[in-house]
Amino acid sequence: MDLKFIGTGGAFDYEYGNSSAWITLNGLHILLDCGNSVYARLRRLELADQIDYILITHMHDDHVGSLSTTILHHKHKRSPSQKARILYPDTINGRSLRDRIRAYLSFSLPRPDEFVEFVPLSEVAGVSAIDTKDQHVKGMVSFGYSFEDETDVKVYSGDLGNKDTMFEYVKSLETEKKVQIFHEMTFHADASVHVYYKDLMDHLSSFEVYGYHIDPRKSPADNTVPMVVEQKEFLVEG
Ligand SMILES: [Zn+2]
Ligand SMILES: [Zn+2]
């Protein structure tokens, strides 16, 4: 399994690209989030024609802003006869994420089901959803995701204001496998919609954690959370 980042920035950190990941699991390629800057990077990296599934954490623009274009690319540049496939967690909140994606796409693609096949997440082995509804923005459906093979578990938080959710999830796995947690974070103490870096630092002695969704140039001198952008092994453009 491989999890590499296409972009590591937050909504306004255009130099680093909107946070998005490229997962290779059991020979399948999963694009995780498709924000404003992602389609351009997919083209530059020559990945746009290799997507097997698209997975979305939540409906903010920095996570879905170029989703319509990526789907249109699939139809017009890659395979007119085969629909793009979007995974959704097959739970109540997962189905409402699916319905939100469909509604969002319908502004650009009036009959989204002609372009997209929505596939329940349970059909893809090794991928699990972590329901974080209300934990990023109150009233918003959101998910983190976990990817697992025979030896490794990689957890991707998505945007998340609750500092405990991902760590409690990993503890609940009671696994002997190697676990890496890719966690969004903020350097602003007063931002309730993201997790403050000092709260992540509390977990560094027990977990392998890497921070993303930030501008690394704003990192305070006392930040010890390793940032994804500084780990070449986790970047598609290493
Ligand atoms: Zn968000
Ligand atoms: Zn975001």
Side-chain angles (χ1 to χ4, degrees), residues 207-223:
F207 298 93
E208 187 176 339
V209 184
Y210 301 93
Y212 72 92
H213 205 277
I214 30 115
D215 180 341
R217 296 170 302 188
K218 298 186 177 139
S219 178
D222 65 350
N223 173 38

Side-chain angles (χ1 to χ4, degrees), residues 67-69 72 102-112 115:
L67 182 59
S68 301
T69 305
L72 282 171
R102 187 186 272 128
Y104 173 82
L105 291 175
S106 70
F107 288 104
S108 172
L109 316 170
R111 293 172 302 283
F115 298 84

Side-chain angles (χ1 to χ4, degrees), residues 40-88:
R41 289 198 172 199
L42 287 170
R43 290 300 302 274
R44 196 175 75 220
L45 296 164
E46 300 183 352
L47 296 176
D49 291 333
Q50 298 183 48
I51 302 166
D52 291 306
Y53 294 103
I54 300 169
L55 189 54
I56 298 295
T57 59
H58 66 295
M59 299 305 293
H60 276 150
D61 260 8
D62 57 318
H63 300 262
V64 291
S66 67
L67 182 59
S68 301
T69 305
T70 302
I71 287 165
L72 282 171
H73 174 105
H74 186 93
K75 185 173 180 70
H76 295 300
K77 299 252 180 209
R78 185 178 170 193
S79 171
S81 60
Q82 203 190 29
K83 296 175 186 178
R85 288 180 290 192
I86 297 181
L87 295 171
Y88 67 95

Side-chain angles (χ1 to χ4, degrees), residues 9-237:
F12 312 111
D13 307 324
Y14 68 91
E15 299 95 327
Y16 298 92
N18 295 143
S19 286
S20 173
W22 183 256
I23 294 111
T24 306
L25 180 63
N26 301 323
L28 294 170
H29 299 300
I30 301 171
L31 172 66
L32 179 47
D33 278 346
C34 195
N36 295 311
S37 63
V38 172
Y39 177 71
R41 289 198 172 199
L42 287 170
R43 290 300 302 274
R44 196 175 75 220
L45 296 164
E46 300 183 352
L47 296 176
D49 291 333
Q50 298 183 48
I51 302 166
D52 291 306
Y53 294 103
I54 300 169
L55 189 54
I56 298 295
T57 59
H58 66 295
M59 299 305 293
H60 276 150
D61 260 8
D62 57 318
H63 300 262
V64 291
S66 67
L67 182 59
S68 301
T69 305
T70 302
I71 287 165
L72 282 171
H73 174 105
H74 186 93
K75 185 173 180 70
H76 295 300
K77 299 252 180 209
R78 185 178 170 193
S79 171
S81 60
Q82 203 190 29
K83 296 175 186 178
R85 288 180 290 192
I86 297 181
L87 295 171
Y88 67 95
D90 28 357
T91 58
I92 291 172
N93 289 333
R95 288 192 290 276
S96 44
L97 178 65
R98 175 198 63 190
D99 295 346
R100 282 161 170 74
I101 295 169
R102 187 186 272 128
Y104 173 82
L105 291 175
S106 70
F107 288 104
S108 172
L109 316 170
R111 293 172 302 283
D113 291 289
E114 292 180 8
F115 298 84
V116 174
E117 179 187 356
F118 288 94
V119 179
L121 194 58
S122 56
E123 291 189 14
V124 178
V127 189
S128 306
I130 305 159
D131 194 332
T132 60
K133 183 174 188 283
D134 295 328
Q135 296 181 36
H136 173 40
V137 173
K138 193 139 185 59
M140 189 172 220
V141 171
S142 57
F143 288 90
Y145 295 101
S146 159
F147 305 89
E148 181 167 358
D149 65 9
E150 301 75 35
T151 55
D152 290 73
V153 179
K154 294 177 192 277
V155 176
Y156 188 96
S157 69
D159 286 7
L160 178 64
N162 186 324
K163 63 186 172 58
D164 299 317
T165 304
M166 290 300 130
F167 302 100
E168 285 171 1
Y169 172 80
V170 169
K171 277 186 209 152
S172 75
L173 294 177
E174 296 182 358
T175 181
E176 300 290 309
K177 295 178 183 178
K178 175 179 172 173
V179 179
Q180 293 171 321
I181 300 173
F182 300 95
H183 209 297
E184 65 104 79
M185 67 174 179
T186 181
F187 298 129
H188 301 286
D190 54 352
S192 63
V193 298
H194 298 294
V195 172
Y196 192 42
Y197 73 101
K198 289 188 178 176
D199 290 323
L200 291 184
M201 283 165 59
D202 292 342
H203 294 286
L204 293 179
S205 57
S206 316
F207 298 93
E208 187 176 339
V209 184
Y210 301 93
Y212 72 92
H213 205 277
I214 30 115
D215 180 341
R217 296 170 302 188
K218 298 186 177 139
S219 178
D222 65 350
N223 173 38
T224 56
V225 179
M227 291 178 281
V228 167
V229 72
E230 293 174 341
Q231 322 289 321
K232 282 192 186 318
E233 62 179 305
F234 298 137
L235 303 177
V236 174
E237 282 184 308

